[in-house]
Amino acid sequence: MLKLFDVYFEQYVTRTESPTLYHRWCLISTISALLGRNFYFPYGHFTVFPNQFAMLIGQPGTRKSSAINIAKDLLVGTGFDKIAEGKTTKEKFLLDLYGAEDDGPNGSKVLGMSALLDDADNECPHEMYIAADEFTNFSGAGNYEFFSLLGELWDCPRHLPVRTKNSKSFTIQQPVVNLLAGNTHAGFAAAFPPDIMGQGFLSRMILIFAEPASSRITFPTKPPELLRQQLIAH
């Protein structure tokens, strides 16, 4: 049987410049996204799901984006398509999580509340994976309301009542959100100014710091496609 972590570290990402610590948490994050609400364990009055909020911290050039995108590619290869936009707002994120779509000009897809799901579809878990290699670009700086929402979603509530500015109320049933992001120290300071530091979102975030790799690879080699497919299948 394929030993996922051993193969990933020793064969799939061995010829990359990203720190091993980054690769480890990126793989854990994608596994959490795949598990969703299919796995949990009881914890007293509560139910604990495996979703993670992880942020890779490091100076520019530490190859945070590389580690995130390598793991994300495997996740997408499994057929998982609930990936958040690279830049969004609180309202649009909620509509994406809900799954509301409507036909726009020239057949394009735009978000619209005329496309609310029926009750049967709405009972299914609503999943979203945030894979933002530049977190501050994704969320904006000092976005207190958005961070508060994400902090609430980290708890995987049974349902989330929503009221946006330009739509009627709706409820997102069984939401589950995973977050994998990258940030520099300066970007982190911009995203989380002092008045937000005490907000509950950061208490749910795993911050992973690593120094840049000591070696540089001028021409990295791509691993065999067969190996990629084996990891996806596993």
mmCIF file of all heavy atoms in Angstrom, residues 44 86 152 169 190 194:
data_model
loop_
_atom_site.group_PDB
_atom_site.id
_atom_site.type_symbol
_atom_site.label_atom_id
_atom_site.label_comp_id
_atom_site.label_asym_id
_atom_site.label_seq_id
_atom_site.Cartn_x
_atom_site.Cartn_y
_atom_site.Cartn_z
ATOM 1 N N GLY A 44 -17.456 15.605 23.858
ATOM 2 C CA GLY A 44 -18.426 16.085 24.832
ATOM 3 C C GLY A 44 -19.720 16.493 24.149
ATOM 4 O O GLY A 44 -20.342 15.715 23.428
ATOM 5 N N GLY A 86 -9.690 33.710 -5.983
ATOM 6 C CA GLY A 86 -8.429 34.240 -5.478
ATOM 7 C C GLY A 86 -8.566 35.548 -4.740
ATOM 8 O O GLY A 86 -7.720 35.890 -3.906
ATOM 9 N N GLU A 152 -16.321 31.928 12.612
ATOM 10 C CA GLU A 152 -17.562 31.204 12.898
ATOM 11 C C GLU A 152 -17.643 29.921 12.070
ATOM 12 O O GLU A 152 -18.067 28.876 12.559
ATOM 13 C CB GLU A 152 -18.763 32.101 12.604
ATOM 14 C CG GLU A 152 -20.105 31.495 12.955
ATOM 15 C CD GLU A 152 -21.269 32.439 12.722
ATOM 16 O OE1 GLU A 152 -21.020 33.603 12.339
ATOM 17 O OE2 GLU A 152 -22.427 32.018 12.906
ATOM 18 N N SER A 169 -32.975 36.718 2.744
ATOM 19 C CA SER A 169 -32.254 35.844 3.667
ATOM 20 C C SER A 169 -32.237 34.418 3.131
ATOM 21 O O SER A 169 -33.135 33.983 2.413
ATOM 22 C CB SER A 169 -32.923 35.873 5.039
ATOM 23 O OG SER A 169 -32.920 37.175 5.582
ATOM 24 N N ALA A 190 -0.385 43.758 7.667
ATOM 25 C CA ALA A 190 -1.404 44.526 6.958
ATOM 26 C C ALA A 190 -2.783 43.889 7.106
ATOM 27 O O ALA A 190 -3.792 44.584 7.281
ATOM 28 C CB ALA A 190 -1.035 44.645 5.481
ATOM 29 N N PRO A 194 -3.357 45.852 14.806
ATOM 30 C CA PRO A 194 -3.449 45.574 16.244
ATOM 31 C C PRO A 194 -4.867 45.410 16.778
ATOM 32 O O PRO A 194 -5.102 44.582 17.666
ATOM 33 C CB PRO A 194 -2.749 46.784 16.876
ATOM 34 C CG PRO A 194 -1.761 47.209 15.844
ATOM 35 C CD PRO A 194 -2.426 46.964 14.520
#
